Amino acid sequence: MGTGRTYNKAPVSRPKKSEGERARRVATQRKRLVARGMDEETVRKLNTKEIRELLMETAKTAAANA
């Protein structure tokens, strides 16, 4: 019984994320938080997980209020 092709394929349908794209995405998310009224110094101190959570929270509250 072999391992099969499933574990030997390259990520064709979903490419891996590059460091440059990740940095660009984080910078864009930081700009979005500043545009929503957060202090720039506070945003600079946040890590990526906190940034994503804040953006999700604001999206949820905006959807609930609409």
Side-chain angles (χ1 to χ4, degrees):
M1 195 165 158
T3 59
R5 185 170 177 266
T6 305
Y7 300 111
N8 295 326
K9 297 190 279 190
V12 175
S13 61
R14 189 169 186 199
K16 293 183 180 178
K17 297 175 184 173
S18 68
E19 287 298 320
E21 279 296 309
R22 189 182 306 261
R24 182 194 59 77
R25 199 165 46 247
V26 170
T28 304
Q29 290 170 346
R30 288 181 193 275
K31 289 176 190 173
R32 285 172 55 196
L33 283 176
V34 171
R36 291 183 187 218
M38 282 190 74
D39 184 36
E40 210 169 323
E41 184 65 26
T42 308
V43 172
R44 192 178 61 79
K45 291 179 182 179
L46 296 174
N47 63 29
T48 54
K49 185 175 181 181
E50 293 169 338
I51 291 171
R52 281 196 319 271
E53 287 174 355
L54 284 170
L55 287 171
M56 283 189 279
E57 285 175 11
T58 52
K60 286 178 188 175
T61 55
N65 293 333

